């Protein structure tokens, strides 16, 4: 293993501990709908990690995906292809703020979410304190000061952070579709198609598949050797490779399990 690869591995492993450094005491908000908790109950490590992840995913679309698709088309269509990714980013952001987040991640029917977060209504964040104070409405100020809303799907981070993190995936998903019709679709038709697709197709997916995905996620988190290794104080890259290999071998029922390796 070269020096560069060792430093790269150390850098990846360094991303795991910050979540354990933060305050481990979890809040106890509602598990069925968004709720309001104290600012002190927010986990700073989780929030920082989500913000960094949000930036990385957004960069995958602009400029990452835009430049990738732009390099695959003819010279005269490069600018149009770049603008498709940028326009989708702007369009989906507006749709997500208006109705997308509410349909995707708030309680509703078994197939689609509700409208409780239409136009982000009910989302409490720090600027609400100044807005409520400007109205000189004492009960309104007392209701939001020192508090922040959280999603029932992410109880340790502000709901604004959770909504924006999910927005980045709502952006990159339709942007990926552009590769299927590059140079063969009018710009206005593309905007109409992406608008309808984001609301009719993308938004119901988190609600309809939420329970099943949550069960798979819990099972993976409880059995994945890497998760246990990251929380161990005696873990090493060699032991991680060995535990992952044994896990994969057991999953695929491979009789050749080199448990003596590493």
């Amino acid at each position: 293993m070269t020096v560069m690869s060792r430093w790269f591995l150390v850098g990846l492993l360094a991303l795991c501990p910050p979540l354990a450094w933060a305050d481990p005491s979890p809040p106890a908000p509602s598990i069925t709908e968004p709720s309001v908790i104290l600012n002190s109950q927010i986990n700073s490590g989780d929030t920082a990690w989500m913000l960094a992840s949000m930036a990385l995913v957004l960069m995958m679309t602009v400029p990452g995906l835009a430049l990738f698709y732009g390099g695959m088309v003819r010279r005269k269509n490069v600018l149009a292809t770049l603008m498709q990714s940028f326009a989708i980013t702007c369009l989906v952001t507006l749709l997500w703020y208006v109705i997308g987040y509410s349909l995707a991640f708030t309680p509703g029917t078994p197939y689609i979410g509700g409208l409780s977060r239409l136009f982000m209504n009910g989302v409490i964040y720090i600027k609400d304190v100044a807005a409520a104070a400007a109205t000189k409405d004492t009960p309104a100020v007392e209701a939001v000061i020192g508090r922040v809303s959280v999603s029932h799907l992410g109880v340790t981070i502000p709901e604004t952070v959770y909504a924006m993190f999910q927005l980045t995936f709502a952006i990159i998903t339709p942007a990926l579709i552009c590769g299927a019709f590059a140079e063969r679709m009018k710009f206005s038709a593309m905007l109409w198609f992406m608008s309808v697709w984001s609301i009719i197709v993308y938004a119901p997916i988190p609600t309809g598949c939420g329970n099943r995905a949550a069960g798979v996620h819990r099972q993976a988190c409880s059995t994945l050797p890497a998760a246990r290794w990251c929380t161990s104080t005696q873990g090493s890259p060699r032991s991680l490779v060995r535990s992952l290999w044994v896990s994969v071998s057991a999953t695929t029922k491979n009789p050749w399990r080199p448990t003596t390796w590493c």
Side-chain angles (χ1 to χ4, degrees):
M1 182 179 291
T2 64
V3 176
M4 181 175 295
S5 59
R6 289 179 180 176
W7 278 108
F8 179 73
L9 180 60
V10 170
L12 290 178
L13 299 179
L15 297 177
C16 298
L19 298 182
W21 294 340
D23 184 11
S25 57
S30 171
I31 60 174
T32 58
E33 61 183 7
S35 55
V36 178
I37 64 174
L38 297 175
N39 288 342
S40 58
Q41 293 178 293
I42 293 296
N43 190 303
S44 58
D46 290 353
T47 304
W49 176 257
M50 293 294 287
L51 288 172
S53 302
M54 177 178 63
L56 292 174
V57 177
L58 185 60
M59 290 173 62
M60 290 168 59
T61 306
V62 181
L65 199 61
L67 295 176
F68 176 70
Y69 283 158
M72 299 178 66
V73 298
R74 292 175 293 180
R75 182 180 299 178
K76 65 178 182 179
N77 293 323
V78 171
L79 183 59
T81 305
L82 292 174
M83 285 305 299
Q84 284 181 350
S85 296
F86 181 76
I88 288 175
T89 301
C90 300
L91 175 66
V92 175
T93 299
L94 293 176
L95 292 175
W96 193 253
Y97 171 80
V98 174
I99 194 173
Y101 173 71
S102 184
L103 292 178
F105 292 103
T106 61
T109 68
Y111 305 102
I112 195 168
L115 300 176
S116 60
R117 286 294 189 255
L118 195 66
F119 287 93
M120 291 295 177
N121 179 48
V123 176
I124 298 176
Y125 54 101
I126 194 65
K127 289 187 177 180
D128 280 346
V129 177
T135 63
K136 298 182 180 180
D137 186 353
T138 302
V141 175
E142 293 177 350
V144 298
I145 191 168
R147 299 177 181 272
V148 64
S149 59
V150 296
S151 171
H152 59 294
L153 301 173
V155 298
T156 60
I157 61 175
E159 189 174 8
T160 52
V161 175
Y162 180 79
M164 293 305 103
F165 174 73
Q166 296 295 345
L167 166 63
T168 59
F169 291 95
I171 289 173
I172 196 172
T173 305
L176 287 168
I177 300 177
C178 289
F181 54 76
E183 303 180 311
R184 296 186 297 274
M185 194 172 189
K186 292 180 62 176
F187 192 78
S188 58
M190 183 272 298
L191 292 179
W192 279 107
F193 173 77
M194 292 304 178
S195 300
V196 175
W197 187 90
S198 297
I199 297 175
I200 302 300
V201 178
Y202 185 86
I205 291 177
T207 303
C209 301
N211 293 333
R212 183 179 301 175
V216 174
H217 174 73
R218 285 194 296 268
Q219 183 179 4
C221 289
S222 62
T223 59
L224 185 63
R228 297 195 301 268
W229 178 84
C230 288
T231 59
S232 174
T233 57
Q234 298 179 348
S236 64
R238 189 179 296 270
S239 63
L240 173 61
V241 173
R242 180 174 180 271
S243 59
L244 286 175
W245 180 268
V246 173
S247 177
V248 171
S249 301
T251 303
T252 57
K253 298 181 180 180
N254 185 356
W256 184 63
R257 301 175 185 175
T259 55
T260 59
W261 287 17
C262 303

